[in-house]
Amino acid sequence: LDELNIDNNRCKIRECKNNVLLGRTCDFCRSKYCLYHGLPESHGCGDEAKKKARADWLKSNPMSGPKEKPMKESERNYVHNQLQKKIEEAAKARSAKPSASKKK
């Protein structure tokens, strides 16, 4: 029974003899590791950690949102004409303003 307790308090890496009181339990394989081997990449769970990180990132940053449909040719022409009218009106308004004369 004491032998099982000793094994539970040691790092799961065979060559490592460190105590795991300050270590951590892996979220993927549920084994206990010392602080040195606690990262998933250092004891063989790197692929699972990478998959989880990618899935978490995709949940928080969706790569594709709702896509807009391209405008029809008639809609594009209408919008273009409206824009041209606004540009012309702005140009007329600028030229209609009298230039400020210098006061003496």
Side-chain angles (χ1 to χ4, degrees):
L1 198 58
D2 287 337
E3 291 176 11
L4 293 175
N5 243 355
I6 291 172
D7 286 344
N8 287 338
N9 291 331
R10 299 284 176 203
C11 180
K12 188 76 170 184
I13 300 294
R14 187 177 301 171
E15 296 83 23
C16 184
K17 303 289 187 205
N18 291 333
N19 196 338
V20 293
L21 285 177
L22 294 176
R24 65 181 296 250
T25 302
C26 178
D27 294 334
F28 304 103
C29 65
R30 303 288 180 209
S31 298
K32 291 182 181 179
Y33 295 96
C34 66
L35 293 175
Y36 184 74
H37 296 110
L39 291 175
E41 292 83 4
S42 65
H43 67 261
C45 290
D47 291 337
E48 290 85 4
K50 186 177 179 181
K51 287 177 191 174
K52 184 181 182 309
R54 181 176 285 147
D56 291 346
W57 186 85
L58 287 174
K59 282 181 185 176
S60 65
N61 302 313
M63 293 173 53
S64 60
K67 296 186 179 183
E68 294 181 21
K69 294 180 182 177
M71 277 198 257
K72 294 179 184 175
E73 188 68 29
S74 60
E75 293 172 341
R76 189 176 308 141
N77 288 336
Y78 175 76
V79 171
H80 177 72
N81 290 335
Q82 293 296 318
L83 179 61
Q84 289 301 321
K85 285 180 187 176
K86 286 186 178 183
I87 291 172
E88 289 171 6
E89 288 173 5
K92 285 180 185 177
R94 280 193 303 267
S95 63
K97 288 183 183 178
S99 57
S101 59
K102 295 181 181 179
K103 294 184 179 180
K104 293 183 180 179

